[in-house]
Amino acid sequence: MSAIAVLDALMRTHDDRPDEAIAQLPALLASPDLPAASLPRAAWLANHLLGEKKGDWRGAWALLKRLPLVEAGPVLLRHCAVAATLAGDALGSWRLERQWLAGGANAECVRLALRLGVLQGAQLATPLPELLTEFSTLLAALELCEAGELDAALASLLTNIVSALLERGELDIRDPSCAETLSSGARIARLLWGRAGNWVNHERAEYLLALTANRFERWPDGLRAADAGLALIAANGEEDVDRAFLLLERTRALRGRAAKRRRKRLMARRRRWRHPSPPICGRGSTIARGGQKESRLWPAREATKVRA
């Protein structure tokens, strides 16, 4: 089997059989038959399996630094710089960053791409509050970043980070700052995909917005995003799997909105029971007669006369 065929097979099966995939990585990355165009995918796989899943960033960097990096493009340089940083090789990371900048890339966008890559790689080993703080800082800078060749890479990184953070069990959906940070991440991802992606990227960006809004029980926002994604699919082509996921989020938003309305009605009813309105002045109220007060229960009725 050729090197590229092995890589294709590993890309399909690595989630189901990660240990088998890891065992094949050294031979794959050392293969002279692996085309240069396939090196970024192979580097991503090494980072994903060894670094993100196993926490073995030194092992990932040990494999990647043997690759032919002299003519490396920006995607490969980013994967290698992230691995070097998380493996503790600061000098190696700086060297790769300089090489990337020498190709004419925007310095601020390169800095953001590297930091987002490091943030993605460090997620499993970093407490959630620290991740959210650093992510929020990077988002503020991203909003000021001009459109450029890194838009798609930045959008992909944002999508992966937001998706992973939404799955954290300790996520506090009642924390407004947490909700704002992840909502901003999904919104900026949609902005970047709008500049760099195709219609499939656009509808998937709407799905991320719907997923985020529903996670924080912002049901109207979730419904709006799901409908926008479904409209994009209807206008452009067929994406049955994506459509199914969008319909799921749409249903969640509708049910959540209905449940919220029921709770509001129930709470209003309970408040009325606990604090009934005072009776209207008139019959059945307390009135003054001849300087004395006469009290009657609500509703007032005339006494029934009984005749013998």
Side-chain angles (χ1 to χ4, degrees):
M1 186 181 293
S2 67
I4 194 168
V6 172
L7 176 59
D8 290 339
L10 294 181
M11 294 295 288
R12 291 192 302 269
T13 63
H14 69 271
D15 282 331
D16 297 325
R17 299 192 295 274
D19 291 334
E20 291 182 20
I22 288 172
Q24 296 183 63
L25 282 175
L28 174 65
L29 290 167
S31 173
D33 298 329
L34 188 63
S38 298
L39 291 178
R41 282 201 303 156
W44 174 86
L45 190 61
N47 279 1
H48 178 63
L49 291 173
L50 286 169
E52 294 173 13
K53 297 296 185 183
K54 298 292 186 180
D56 184 13
W57 285 104
R58 290 186 177 182
W61 177 226
L63 292 177
L64 297 190
K65 68 182 179 182
R66 297 173 188 159
L67 295 176
L69 299 177
V70 176
E71 302 294 332
V75 177
L76 180 56
L77 288 173
R78 172 167 57 86
H79 291 319
C80 291
V82 167
T85 300
L86 291 170
D89 186 357
L91 295 180
S93 178
W94 295 346
R95 184 180 67 253
L96 292 164
E97 185 176 351
R98 286 197 305 272
Q99 183 178 341
W100 191 352
L101 291 172
N106 179 283
E108 180 62 12
C109 290
V110 166
R111 184 186 73 85
L112 290 171
L114 287 176
R115 279 154 182 74
L116 285 171
V118 169
L119 195 68
Q120 179 182 341
Q123 282 192 77
L124 293 181
T126 307
L128 183 60
E130 293 182 30
L131 286 172
L132 290 171
T133 298
E134 295 304 321
F135 191 39
S136 179
T137 302
L138 292 173
L139 290 175
L142 269 171
E143 291 210 86
L144 303 176
C145 198
E146 297 180 357
E149 62 180 11
L150 290 178
D151 282 348
L154 293 169
S156 180
L157 286 164
L158 282 177
T159 300
N160 292 338
I161 291 170
V162 172
S163 298
L165 291 175
L166 289 174
E167 294 178 357
R168 296 283 288 252
E170 69 271 36
L171 191 68
D172 184 2
I173 65 171
R174 306 299 176 193
D175 183 350
S177 64
C178 179
E180 184 57 34
T181 296
L182 293 187
S183 298
S184 295
R187 177 179 55 79
I188 296 172
R190 181 180 62 175
L191 171 68
L192 293 170
W193 281 127
R195 297 198 307 227
N198 55 30
W199 72 266
V200 175
N201 298 127
H202 301 166
E203 55 93 353
R204 289 178 181 175
E206 295 292 349
Y207 170 73
L208 182 64
L209 278 169
L211 193 70
T212 304
N214 286 346
R215 183 75 166 86
F216 290 100
E217 299 181 356
R218 297 181 173 184
W219 309 119
D221 293 341
L223 180 60
R224 190 161 40 249
D227 282 342
L230 290 168
L232 282 167
I233 293 176
N236 289 279
E238 295 184 4
E239 275 290 338
D240 291 341
V241 175
D242 289 7
R243 185 173 182 274
F245 279 110
L246 282 163
L247 285 172
L248 178 62
E249 292 308 314
R250 187 178 195 277
T251 301
R252 285 181 62 198
L254 287 171
R255 289 177 177 173
R257 186 178 66 175
K260 185 176 182 180
R261 288 175 176 174
R262 286 195 298 270
R263 287 194 299 270
K264 283 186 175 180
R265 288 195 296 268
L266 180 59
M267 290 174 66
R269 191 177 301 128
R270 286 175 175 172
R271 282 195 296 269
R272 289 196 297 270
W273 290 342
R274 291 172 183 170
H275 307 287
S277 301
I280 301 173
C281 186
R283 288 193 64 186
S285 64
T286 299
I287 56 177
R289 290 186 180 179
Q292 295 181 348
K293 291 185 178 180
E294 177 182 342
S295 178
R296 294 179 179 176
L297 296 176
W298 175 276
R301 291 194 309 177
E302 293 292 335
T304 302
K305 295 181 180 180
V306 179
R307 295 181 183 271

